[in-house]
Amino acid sequence: VCFLILSTSCEKRQFAPPPPSPDPSDIFEPVSQQLRARIYIDATVSMEGFVVPGASTNYAQILQPLESAAVGGWPTARIEFYQFGTQVLPLQGREHLKAAQRVFYQNSINRETRIENVIDHADTSNLTVIVTDLFQSEGDVILLVTKLKERYLQKNLAVGVLGLRSQYDGTVYDVGINA
């Protein structure tokens, strides 16, 4: 028994080799000290259904934290808000908070969702956030994908999509007998 104890306690331990030195291409850039962001809110009629009177939908609840996340991470953040549909228009002051009310979607730019106009308007040196239901006609989807490739992907810029399930009480315009 003593021999067994001594033989197991005296054996040499093999340590794992040290990790390889870091590859310079794997090192992340430092976090930026400033943030400039443009947040584009889809102001078309199809979005109106996500704002249910008398209830706080998931969509309505995400609008305010969008701004808070940027300001919380970068106290000197400059955030600009826009509404879009057939045109891209700036929102002044705190007008973006009206996106949680149905009246925001009852305007003159609510005819079509033209996300490609937002991509043309966006500044690729800043963070761009597009809040939309992606309601596009088939022809527009091809144009949208082409614009995203040209403006972002071919320049090695990141593009992300975050889906959010929300309550809806509205009209879906592409569904019906003739659609």
Side-chain angles (χ1 to χ4, degrees):
V1 174
C2 288
F3 175 72
L4 207 54
I5 292 172
L6 290 174
S7 66
T8 57
S9 64
C10 292
E11 75 180 60
K12 289 186 176 181
R13 293 186 181 222
Q14 295 282 339
F15 291 104
S21 56
D23 183 353
S25 64
D26 289 341
I27 297 173
F28 294 110
E29 293 183 27
V31 175
S32 59
Q33 296 302 309
Q34 294 184 352
L35 174 71
R36 184 161 179 229
R38 289 183 174 177
I39 300 176
Y40 297 86
I41 301 173
D42 186 342
T44 59
V45 174
S46 65
M47 293 292 292
E48 184 180 9
F50 291 107
V51 181
V52 178
S56 185
T57 64
N58 293 342
Y59 168 71
Q61 290 177 20
I62 197 69
L63 293 171
Q64 194 163 4
L66 259 174
E67 181 180 19
S68 304
V71 174
W74 295 266
T76 60
R78 289 187 43 213
I79 303 168
E80 300 170 0
F81 285 89
Y82 296 85
Q83 64 179 335
F84 74 96
T86 53
Q87 305 170 36
V88 177
L89 300 172
L91 292 168
Q92 304 300 321
R94 309 296 293 158
E95 278 185 300
H96 64 279
L97 296 176
K98 291 181 183 174
Q101 302 167 9
R102 285 189 169 232
V103 69
F104 182 81
Y105 306 95
Q106 300 162 359
N107 57 55
S108 62
I109 67 166
N110 67 358
R111 307 235 178 347
E112 291 181 39
T113 305
R114 296 273 177 96
I115 301 171
E116 64 274 7
N117 291 348
V118 173
I119 294 169
D120 289 338
H121 187 269
D123 180 356
T124 57
S125 65
N126 300 309
L127 174 66
T128 299
V129 177
I130 304 172
V131 180
T132 181
D133 60 357
L134 288 174
F135 180 77
Q136 297 272 104
S137 68
E138 281 186 41
D140 290 339
V141 171
I142 293 168
L143 177 61
L144 174 62
V145 169
T146 302
K147 293 264 186 188
L148 284 172
K149 282 182 182 177
E150 290 171 358
R151 186 83 186 231
Y152 296 97
L153 301 177
Q154 290 176 352
K155 295 178 182 176
N156 254 357
L157 298 172
V159 173
V161 176
L162 171 65
L164 172 71
R165 185 180 193 133
S166 186
Q167 301 78 1
Y168 188 84
D169 182 18
T171 303
V172 180
Y173 292 94
D174 65 342
V175 175
I177 296 171
N178 298 324

